[in-house]
């Protein structure tokens, strides 16, 4: 889902936009705001993928509002004034809807949002990059459905392969993040305290609770197999940490 907010100081126009959002299956309305100031307060607490924003509003107009955001979401401008169109595209707007517009025009803009978001993810260095591109703040971004999620690498417990997708299991979340990515790309991106122990598993070595024969125990409910191809490397790691005789 593409999480979005609608901003318009005119109640009827705001009602129309929110109704149209409800008719597009891949859009999810996070909030409706009657001013850019209200929207800014919301964005200080929440994140969204896209904004449908009127331009001509009191106090703070939509164009200045978008320019004021350090990392603005994708934006579709809505306005009754055609002269704003050129300026709108200068701030990399996805589309520009001139009032009055219908559902077909809105659907076109929504489809462009979807395409832009998918293209942004496809060209992201997280997907196609290498270890040399790793950010210093120990975070990565993963695409899941139509969202891009920020993940702390140290929060990852283990990564599980399933066909063309990966399940990224986190310490802080009960449900894994499912992302379209190869094990090879993930393995290249993760730091040295991660190790592949099986064709289907990469583990965070700091999260191991126990090693029992050919299994790594991450917690009381998670037992991961050690594959024959990876057994020697994992055994060498254990011996480097072993304090017994």
């Amino acid at each position: 889902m593409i999480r979005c907010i609608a901003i318009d100081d005119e109640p009827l126009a705001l009602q129309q936009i929110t109704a149209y959002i409800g008719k597009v299956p891949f859009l999810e309305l996070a909030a409706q705001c009657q001013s850019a100031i209200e929207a800014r307060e919301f964005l200080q607490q929440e994140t969204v993928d896209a904004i449908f924003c009127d331009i001509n509003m009191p106090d703070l107009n939509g164009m200045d509002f978008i320019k004021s955001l350090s990392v603005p979401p994708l934006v579709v401008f809505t306005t009754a004034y055609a002269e704003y169109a050129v300026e709108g595209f200068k701030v990399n707007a996805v589309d520009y809807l001139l009032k009055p517009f219908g559902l077909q025009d809105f659907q076109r803009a929504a489809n462009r949002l979807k395409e832009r978001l998918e293209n942004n993810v496809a060209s992201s260095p997280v997907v196609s990059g290498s270890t040399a591109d790793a950010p210093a703040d120990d975070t990565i971004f993963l695409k899941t459905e139509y969202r891009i999620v920020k993940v702390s690498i140290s929060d990852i417990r283990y990564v599980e392969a399933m066909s063309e997708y990966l399940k990224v299991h986190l310490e802080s979340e009960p449900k894994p993040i499912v992302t379209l990515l190869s094990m090879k790309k993930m393995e290249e991106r993760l730091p040295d305290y991660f190790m592949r122990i099986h064709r289907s598993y990469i583990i965070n070595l700091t999260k191991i609770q126990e090693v029992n024969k050919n299994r790594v125990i991450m917690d009381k409910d998670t037992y991961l197999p050690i594959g024959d191809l990876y057994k020697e490397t994992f055994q060498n790691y254990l011996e480097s940490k072993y304090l017994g005789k």
Side-chain angles (χ1 to χ4, degrees):
M1 297 292 285
I2 300 177
R3 198 162 184 260
C4 57
I5 60 172
I7 312 169
D8 202 305
D9 64 312
E10 299 177 5
L12 290 178
L14 185 60
Q15 183 179 352
Q16 181 193 46
I17 295 172
T18 55
Y20 285 168
I21 289 172
K23 294 179 184 294
V24 180
F26 54 81
L27 294 183
E28 175 188 355
L29 181 65
Q32 47 182 316
C33 305
Q34 289 192 284
S35 71
I37 294 173
E38 182 183 346
R40 177 183 285 169
E41 292 174 354
F42 176 83
L43 292 176
Q44 287 174 350
Q45 305 296 326
E46 303 281 346
T47 58
V48 298
D49 303 305
I51 298 175
F52 291 91
C53 185
D54 186 28
I55 294 179
N56 192 28
M57 294 185 291
D59 298 326
L60 179 63
N61 72 48
M63 196 73 66
D64 290 338
F65 165 63
I66 297 301
K67 291 177 180 178
S68 73
L69 299 176
S70 56
V71 185
L74 299 180
V75 60
V76 173
F77 283 118
T78 63
T79 184
Y81 300 92
E83 60 267 26
Y84 285 118
V86 174
E87 189 178 356
F89 286 116
K90 285 182 179 178
V91 296
N92 204 27
V94 174
D95 208 343
Y96 180 96
L97 293 173
L98 186 63
K99 299 177 181 178
F101 54 86
L103 179 58
Q104 185 176 356
D105 294 324
F106 184 87
Q107 179 73 63
R108 182 201 67 218
N111 288 338
R112 288 181 176 175
L113 271 178
K114 182 180 177 183
E115 291 173 6
R116 178 76 69 86
L117 191 57
E118 290 173 345
N119 289 339
N120 287 350
V121 173
S123 62
S124 168
V126 172
V127 175
S128 60
S130 63
T131 305
D133 300 320
D137 63 355
D138 192 45
T139 58
I140 57 176
F141 288 84
L142 298 175
K143 179 188 176 184
T144 176
E145 295 180 332
Y146 295 107
R147 297 182 300 132
I148 301 175
V149 181
K150 182 179 179 180
V151 175
S152 171
I153 293 176
S154 58
D155 190 35
I156 299 173
R157 295 173 62 236
Y158 65 98
V159 179
E160 177 183 1
M162 51 175 215
S163 187
E164 297 178 343
Y165 291 83
L166 300 182
K167 283 185 177 180
V168 181
H169 298 261
L170 304 178
E171 195 86 69
S172 61
E173 298 290 340
K175 292 184 178 181
I177 294 173
V178 179
T179 184
L180 180 61
L181 194 63
S182 70
M183 285 288 272
K184 184 177 183 296
K185 288 294 185 183
M186 179 62 82
E187 192 174 13
E188 289 174 351
R189 178 61 187 84
L190 293 174
D192 292 341
Y193 59 89
F194 283 83
M195 182 179 291
R196 192 164 184 176
I197 61 165
H198 188 275
R199 64 188 300 271
S200 298
Y201 295 102
I202 300 172
I203 64 170
N204 184 334
L205 296 169
T206 69
K207 307 292 185 183
I208 296 175
Q209 291 191 2
E210 186 178 333
V211 179
N212 188 334
K213 297 182 179 178
N214 290 325
R215 298 184 302 177
V216 173
I217 301 173
M218 306 300 288
D219 57 50
K220 64 182 180 68
D221 299 316
T222 308
Y223 296 73
L224 305 181
I226 303 170
D228 291 339
L229 291 176
Y230 306 92
K231 189 176 298 183
E232 182 178 354
T233 301
F234 183 67
Q235 188 62 40
N236 290 339
Y237 165 76
L238 289 181
E239 290 177 359
S240 72
K241 301 292 184 181
Y242 187 56
L243 296 182
K245 295 182 178 179

